[in-house]
Amino acid sequence: MERLWKETTTRNPATFDGPLVACLGVDRPGPGELVVRWAPMRYRHRALRRLRPPGQVPGSVFVTVLVPTEDGLVVGRGSPATAAPGRWSLPGGAVEPPPSGMPLDTAELRRHAVRELVEETGVRVDEEELRLWAFTRSGPFGGLGFHFLCPPASGVLVRRLHADLSVAQVEHGTGPELDELAFVSSSARARSLGPAADYLPSLLDRYYTA
């Protein structure tokens, strides 16, 4: 694993070995209830995917935010410095373990979603404005996504906020996490953009047919 991680950082020195939440399983104790079994891990553990069968490698827990505009939902393309460069996805990111003794509950996931939205697009919303809208289980590594819906926003405003954020991040030497934004109103439109997160087409189909 250490050898593979070194190869990864050689290809992309900006790769960050940050903390993640690994999904060890999902239980449904009752109607409308979902309990996730999890453990802390780091990005470098993803290298295990190249050493072991997919079923033996836990996926990570992540959050996204659906931002409706008059032009469609906001999606962004990962910059070269991210874990998925060139991939289109909803604003969001991997969930980090909560502070010691604190629960990883819906409120904590919502806080992560609000923070990721600001860091990637510059759009600020109150935690109370986000509604848990869907969750997905991705293959082959079982990534578990919690997807929050926020109130509608102006597409013009979203573009301006992202442009201002990108300039500020470049000035600080960090660079934007999403190097381009687009607005999509169908899964076909998302596929036409290029490589996309595996959850995106089905989530878009659900949103626009609901």
Side-chain angles (χ1 to χ4, degrees):
M1 185 184 72
E2 296 301 326
R3 175 179 58 81
L4 292 172
W5 178 250
K6 185 176 180 179
E7 292 176 2
T8 298
T9 54
T10 298
R11 290 193 304 270
N12 186 354
T15 305
F16 175 56
D17 189 24
L20 296 173
V21 170
C23 177
L24 304 183
V26 176
D27 301 316
R28 295 175 179 272
E33 295 180 307
L34 181 74
V35 177
V36 179
R37 287 176 277 118
W38 65 276
M41 71 173 185
R42 304 195 73 82
Y43 270 89
R44 68 177 55 213
H45 289 100
R46 292 183 173 187
L48 292 173
R49 298 173 178 180
R50 295 166 60 186
L51 300 176
R52 297 181 180 178
Q56 296 181 14
V57 183
S60 57
V61 177
F62 65 96
V63 293
T64 74
V65 181
L66 289 81
V67 183
T69 75
E70 67 277 13
D71 299 315
L73 291 176
V74 177
V75 295
R77 185 177 65 187
S79 72
T82 62
R87 188 183 71 175
W88 290 88
S89 63
L90 296 170
V95 172
E96 298 181 6
S100 178
M102 299 298 291
L104 181 59
D105 54 13
T106 304
E108 181 68 12
L109 293 174
R110 187 179 288 110
R111 282 190 286 272
H112 274 282
V114 167
R115 183 166 64 248
E116 291 288 344
L117 183 62
V118 173
E119 292 177 353
E120 295 193 347
T121 67
V123 175
R124 297 180 179 275
V125 296
D126 293 332
E127 293 176 13
E128 296 75 16
E129 294 183 277
L130 293 188
R131 175 170 64 89
L132 182 58
W133 185 77
F135 70 90
T136 56
R137 193 76 187 269
S138 305
F141 302 107
L144 184 64
F146 290 86
H147 309 281
F148 291 86
L149 179 64
C150 83
S154 161
V156 173
L157 176 61
V158 172
R159 285 193 183 278
R160 180 174 63 78
L161 291 172
H162 178 256
D164 292 345
L165 174 67
S166 298
V167 169
Q169 290 173 327
V170 169
E171 289 177 349
H172 284 84
T174 57
E177 293 188 45
L178 300 177
D179 59 15
E180 186 175 338
L181 292 188
F183 300 87
V184 296
S185 55
S186 68
S187 58
R189 167 60 177 151
R191 292 189 185 95
S192 72
L193 295 172
D198 54 6
Y199 66 80
L200 190 57
S202 61
L203 207 62
L204 289 171
D205 285 340
R206 177 177 175 180
Y207 180 82
Y208 284 108
T209 59

